[in-house]
Amino acid sequence: MNAFQPSKPPLQPPVKPTRTAPRPKKHLHQRSYQIMALETSAKITVNLVIITAAVSALSQLIPYHWLQQDKLREIRTEVKLMQGRVDNLRTEFSRNFDPSQANSIRQEQSYRFAPSQLPVVLINPDTKGTERSNSTP
């Protein structure tokens, strides 16, 4: 059982068959270059068509964009004007409905004064002098 076993002979690689006649590589390289040139020219053509379409679209969209920007500026200007008007109307509205301002508003709108107040009428002295000179013979 513990006897020596005969060693196995080393495995030898299989014998390669002899080469057959090589293909003409020059013809294959030339054909692959032609295919690559054709593929590259097709890619360039497609890219040029895409670039042309993009430039055409941009040339049509840029004037439209400028027009929209002008309209937007005009609308923003109108909004600023209307915002000032709205602010004035709001202050006037809040003043009109303020109970503490009721007497002063009534006096402004009807030109009536409280019995304790005397109306003050301002007369321009220049017009008073011209009226006297015109009225005296």
Side-chain angles (χ1 to χ4, degrees), residues 21-137:
R23 293 184 194 176
K25 291 184 179 179
K26 190 175 187 182
H27 178 68
L28 288 177
H29 284 298
Q30 187 178 10
R31 183 168 172 93
S32 67
Y33 290 144
Q34 287 175 347
I35 291 173
M36 281 196 315
L38 182 65
E39 183 179 331
T40 304
S41 62
K43 286 180 182 179
I44 290 173
T45 304
V46 168
N47 285 335
L48 286 176
V49 168
I50 291 172
I51 288 171
T52 305
V55 167
S56 172
L58 281 176
S59 68
Q60 291 177 0
L61 287 176
I62 288 176
Y64 178 74
H65 175 70
W66 289 338
L67 180 67
Q68 294 300 317
Q69 290 297 322
D70 290 339
K71 286 182 180 179
L72 184 61
R73 275 189 222 102
E74 183 178 327
I75 289 172
R76 284 182 179 161
T77 305
E78 289 181 15
V79 165
K80 285 180 183 177
L81 292 174
M82 289 298 124
Q83 188 64 39
R85 187 174 174 201
V86 165
D87 290 340
N88 289 339
L89 290 173
R90 277 192 183 152
T91 56
E92 184 180 330
F93 180 80
S94 63
R95 183 175 173 264
N96 287 338
F97 285 97
D98 187 12
S100 63
Q101 299 283 331
N103 288 332
S104 62
I105 292 171
R106 192 176 322 121
Q107 287 176 0
E108 288 174 10
Q109 292 179 353
S110 66
Y111 300 106
R112 293 186 183 172
F113 298 100
S116 62
Q117 292 181 338
L118 294 175
V120 177
V121 179
L122 298 176
I123 299 174
N124 192 352
D126 295 336
T127 58
K128 186 177 180 184
T130 57
E131 288 178 10
R132 286 185 184 166
S133 63
N134 290 339
S135 63
T136 55

